[in-house]
PDB file of all heavy atoms in Angstrom:
ATOM      1  N   SER Y  10     104.737  81.278 109.764  1.00  0.00           N
ATOM      2  CA  SER Y  10     104.152  82.435 109.082  1.00  0.00           C
ATOM      3  C   SER Y  10     102.751  82.142 108.543  1.00  0.00           C
ATOM      4  O   SER Y  10     101.936  83.047 108.419  1.00  0.00           O
ATOM      5  CB  SER Y  10     105.063  82.940 107.968  1.00  0.00           C
ATOM      6  OG  SER Y  10     105.273  81.946 107.018  1.00  0.00           O
ATOM      7  N   GLN Y  23     104.312  89.985 107.810  1.00  0.00           N
ATOM      8  CA  GLN Y  23     105.763  90.231 107.808  1.00  0.00           C
ATOM      9  C   GLN Y  23     106.110  91.699 107.555  1.00  0.00           C
ATOM     10  O   GLN Y  23     107.236  92.111 107.798  1.00  0.00           O
ATOM     11  CB  GLN Y  23     106.450  89.315 106.785  1.00  0.00           C
ATOM     12  CG  GLN Y  23     106.275  87.846 107.124  1.00  0.00           C
ATOM     13  CD  GLN Y  23     107.176  86.934 106.327  1.00  0.00           C
ATOM     14  OE1 GLN Y  23     108.290  87.285 105.962  1.00  0.00           O
ATOM     15  NE2 GLN Y  23     106.699  85.730 106.038  1.00  0.00           N
ATOM     16  N   LYS Y  25     104.908  94.067 109.251  1.00  0.00           N
ATOM     17  CA  LYS Y  25     104.905  94.742 110.563  1.00  0.00           C
ATOM     18  C   LYS Y  25     106.157  94.409 111.384  1.00  0.00           C
ATOM     19  O   LYS Y  25     106.461  95.076 112.359  1.00  0.00           O
ATOM     20  CB  LYS Y  25     103.656  94.333 111.355  1.00  0.00           C
ATOM     21  CG  LYS Y  25     102.345  94.813 110.738  1.00  0.00           C
ATOM     22  CD  LYS Y  25     101.999  96.175 111.288  1.00  0.00           C
ATOM     23  CE  LYS Y  25     100.595  96.657 111.046  1.00  0.00           C
ATOM     24  NZ  LYS Y  25      99.931  96.369 109.804  1.00  0.00           N
ATOM     25  N   GLY Y  52     108.795  85.164 100.387  1.00  0.00           N
ATOM     26  CA  GLY Y  52     109.662  83.996 100.424  1.00  0.00           C
ATOM     27  C   GLY Y  52     108.990  82.921  99.575  1.00  0.00           C
ATOM     28  O   GLY Y  52     107.805  82.619  99.785  1.00  0.00           O
ATOM     29  N   ALA Y  55     106.847  79.980 101.170  1.00  0.00           N
ATOM     30  CA  ALA Y  55     105.693  80.489 101.942  1.00  0.00           C
ATOM     31  C   ALA Y  55     104.628  81.077 101.013  1.00  0.00           C
ATOM     32  O   ALA Y  55     103.426  80.973 101.280  1.00  0.00           O
ATOM     33  CB  ALA Y  55     106.149  81.525 102.962  1.00  0.00           C
ATOM     34  N   ASN Y  84      89.829  77.300  87.776  1.00  0.00           N
ATOM     35  CA  ASN Y  84      90.885  77.728  86.842  1.00  0.00           C
ATOM     36  C   ASN Y  84      91.048  79.234  86.853  1.00  0.00           C
ATOM     37  O   ASN Y  84      92.168  79.739  86.826  1.00  0.00           O
ATOM     38  CB  ASN Y  84      90.571  77.262  85.412  1.00  0.00           C
ATOM     39  CG  ASN Y  84      90.916  75.808  85.253  1.00  0.00           C
ATOM     40  OD1 ASN Y  84      91.673  75.261  86.066  1.00  0.00           O
ATOM     41  ND2 ASN Y  84      90.341  75.160  84.245  1.00  0.00           N
ATOM     42  N   LEU Y 104     100.062  75.842  92.935  1.00  0.00           N
ATOM     43  CA  LEU Y 104      98.723  75.919  92.331  1.00  0.00           C
ATOM     44  C   LEU Y 104      98.526  74.798  91.304  1.00  0.00           C
ATOM     45  O   LEU Y 104      97.456  74.190  91.235  1.00  0.00           O
ATOM     46  CB  LEU Y 104      98.529  77.297  91.679  1.00  0.00           C
ATOM     47  CG  LEU Y 104      98.477  78.477  92.662  1.00  0.00           C
ATOM     48  CD1 LEU Y 104      98.547  79.808  91.922  1.00  0.00           C
ATOM     49  CD2 LEU Y 104      97.215  78.405  93.536  1.00  0.00           C
ATOM     50  N   ARG Y 106      99.972  71.942  91.377  1.00  0.00           N
ATOM     51  CA  ARG Y 106      99.853  70.676  92.112  1.00  0.00           C
ATOM     52  C   ARG Y 106      98.406  70.461  92.564  1.00  0.00           C
ATOM     53  O   ARG Y 106      97.861  69.360  92.436  1.00  0.00           O
ATOM     54  CB  ARG Y 106     100.811  70.709  93.304  1.00  0.00           C
ATOM     55  CG  ARG Y 106     101.030  69.370  93.896  1.00  0.00           C
ATOM     56  CD  ARG Y 106     102.195  69.355  94.844  1.00  0.00           C
ATOM     57  NE  ARG Y 106     101.819  68.550  95.991  1.00  0.00           N
ATOM     58  CZ  ARG Y 106     102.637  68.140  96.936  1.00  0.00           C
ATOM     59  NH1 ARG Y 106     103.901  68.479  96.886  1.00  0.00           N
ATOM     60  NH2 ARG Y 106     102.215  67.395  97.934  1.00  0.00           N
ATOM     61  N   GLU Y 136     108.144  71.541 105.378  1.00  0.00           N
ATOM     62  CA  GLU Y 136     108.891  71.539 106.643  1.00  0.00           C
ATOM     63  C   GLU Y 136     109.974  70.451 106.624  1.00  0.00           C
ATOM     64  O   GLU Y 136     111.129  70.691 106.981  1.00  0.00           O
ATOM     65  CB  GLU Y 136     107.929  71.318 107.823  1.00  0.00           C
ATOM     66  CG  GLU Y 136     108.671  71.190 109.128  1.00  0.00           C
ATOM     67  CD  GLU Y 136     107.778  71.238 110.358  1.00  0.00           C
ATOM     68  OE1 GLU Y 136     106.659  71.757 110.268  1.00  0.00           O
ATOM     69  OE2 GLU Y 136     108.225  70.741 111.409  1.00  0.00           O
ATOM     70  N   GLN Y 141     115.758  68.705 105.653  1.00  0.00           N
ATOM     71  CA  GLN Y 141     116.760  67.941 104.884  1.00  0.00           C
ATOM     72  C   GLN Y 141     117.778  68.877 104.229  1.00  0.00           C
ATOM     73  O   GLN Y 141     118.976  68.601 104.213  1.00  0.00           O
ATOM     74  CB  GLN Y 141     116.063  67.083 103.818  1.00  0.00           C
ATOM     75  CG  GLN Y 141     115.311  65.907 104.417  1.00  0.00           C
ATOM     76  CD  GLN Y 141     114.352  65.255 103.439  1.00  0.00           C
ATOM     77  OE1 GLN Y 141     114.155  65.745 102.322  1.00  0.00           O
ATOM     78  NE2 GLN Y 141     113.745  64.169 103.835  1.00  0.00           N
ATOM     79  N   GLY Y 143     118.660  71.714 105.375  1.00  0.00           N
ATOM     80  CA  GLY Y 143     119.504  72.184 106.475  1.00  0.00           C
ATOM     81  C   GLY Y 143     120.579  71.170 106.834  1.00  0.00           C
ATOM     82  O   GLY Y 143     121.735  71.530 107.085  1.00  0.00           O
ATOM     83  N   THR Y 167     109.189  79.958 104.700  1.00  0.00           N
ATOM     84  CA  THR Y 167     108.886  78.559 104.343  1.00  0.00           C
ATOM     85  C   THR Y 167     107.858  78.034 105.353  1.00  0.00           C
ATOM     86  O   THR Y 167     107.281  78.809 106.123  1.00  0.00           O
ATOM     87  CB  THR Y 167     110.172  77.699 104.453  1.00  0.00           C
ATOM     88  OG1 THR Y 167     110.618  77.718 105.826  1.00  0.00           O
ATOM     89  CG2 THR Y 167     111.294  78.209 103.568  1.00  0.00           C
ATOM     90  N   LEU Y 174     118.689  79.514 105.832  1.00  0.00           N
ATOM     91  CA  LEU Y 174     118.884  79.659 107.283  1.00  0.00           C
ATOM     92  C   LEU Y 174     118.758  78.327 108.028  1.00  0.00           C
ATOM     93  O   LEU Y 174     119.111  78.248 109.211  1.00  0.00           O
ATOM     94  CB  LEU Y 174     117.891  80.672 107.874  1.00  0.00           C
ATOM     95  CG  LEU Y 174     117.962  82.116 107.360  1.00  0.00           C
ATOM     96  CD1 LEU Y 174     117.144  83.048 108.258  1.00  0.00           C
ATOM     97  CD2 LEU Y 174     119.400  82.633 107.266  1.00  0.00           C
ATOM     98  N   LYS Y 185     127.625  72.607 116.532  1.00  0.00           N
ATOM     99  CA  LYS Y 185     128.484  73.519 115.767  1.00  0.00           C
ATOM    100  C   LYS Y 185     128.060  74.948 116.081  1.00  0.00           C
ATOM    101  O   LYS Y 185     126.858  75.239 116.160  1.00  0.00           O
ATOM    102  CB  LYS Y 185     128.298  73.297 114.263  1.00  0.00           C
ATOM    103  CG  LYS Y 185     129.178  72.227 113.663  1.00  0.00           C
ATOM    104  CD  LYS Y 185     129.011  72.197 112.137  1.00  0.00           C
ATOM    105  CE  LYS Y 185     129.640  70.955 111.547  1.00  0.00           C
ATOM    106  NZ  LYS Y 185     129.313  70.724 110.159  1.00  0.00           N
ATOM    107  N   ALA Y 234     131.990  81.679 103.930  1.00  0.00           N
ATOM    108  CA  ALA Y 234     131.085  81.242 102.861  1.00  0.00           C
ATOM    109  C   ALA Y 234     129.887  82.179 102.795  1.00  0.00           C
ATOM    110  O   ALA Y 234     129.597  82.917 103.749  1.00  0.00           O
ATOM    111  CB  ALA Y 234     130.598  79.819 103.140  1.00  0.00           C
ATOM    112  N   LYS Y 251     116.765  87.288  95.567  1.00  0.00           N
ATOM    113  CA  LYS Y 251     116.609  88.699  95.915  1.00  0.00           C
ATOM    114  C   LYS Y 251     117.697  89.574  95.320  1.00  0.00           C
ATOM    115  O   LYS Y 251     118.866  89.185  95.288  1.00  0.00           O
ATOM    116  CB  LYS Y 251     116.609  88.807  97.449  1.00  0.00           C
ATOM    117  CG  LYS Y 251     116.430  90.190  98.015  1.00  0.00           C
ATOM    118  CD  LYS Y 251     115.242  90.936  97.448  1.00  0.00           C
ATOM    119  CE  LYS Y 251     113.926  90.195  97.629  1.00  0.00           C
ATOM    120  NZ  LYS Y 251     112.836  90.777  96.785  1.00  0.00           N
ATOM    121  N   PRO Y 288     111.048  85.613  84.518  1.00  0.00           N
ATOM    122  CA  PRO Y 288     110.416  86.941  84.647  1.00  0.00           C
ATOM    123  C   PRO Y 288     110.866  87.604  85.954  1.00  0.00           C
ATOM    124  O   PRO Y 288     110.760  87.010  87.025  1.00  0.00           O
ATOM    125  CB  PRO Y 288     108.915  86.635  84.691  1.00  0.00           C
ATOM    126  CG  PRO Y 288     108.814  85.208  85.082  1.00  0.00           C
ATOM    127  CD  PRO Y 288     110.080  84.518  84.691  1.00  0.00           C
ATOM    128  N   LYS Y 332     117.349  66.604  98.194  1.00  0.00           N
ATOM    129  CA  LYS Y 332     117.829  65.313  97.678  1.00  0.00           C
ATOM    130  C   LYS Y 332     119.352  65.224  97.705  1.00  0.00           C
ATOM    131  O   LYS Y 332     119.921  64.241  97.242  1.00  0.00           O
ATOM    132  CB  LYS Y 332     117.338  65.112  96.235  1.00  0.00           C
ATOM    133  CG  LYS Y 332     115.845  65.042  96.095  1.00  0.00           C
ATOM    134  CD  LYS Y 332     115.326  63.686  96.538  1.00  0.00           C
ATOM    135  CE  LYS Y 332     113.819  63.630  96.421  1.00  0.00           C
ATOM    136  NZ  LYS Y 332     113.240  62.588  97.263  1.00  0.00           N
TER     137      LYS Y 332
END
Side-chain angles (χ1 to χ4, degrees):
S10 60
Q23 298 193 32
K25 294 270 194 323
N84 281 342
L104 293 169
R106 195 167 139 169
E136 175 169 339
Q141 288 166 354
T167 62
L174 299 193
K185 273 186 192 169
K251 181 51 57 194
K332 297 283 179 201

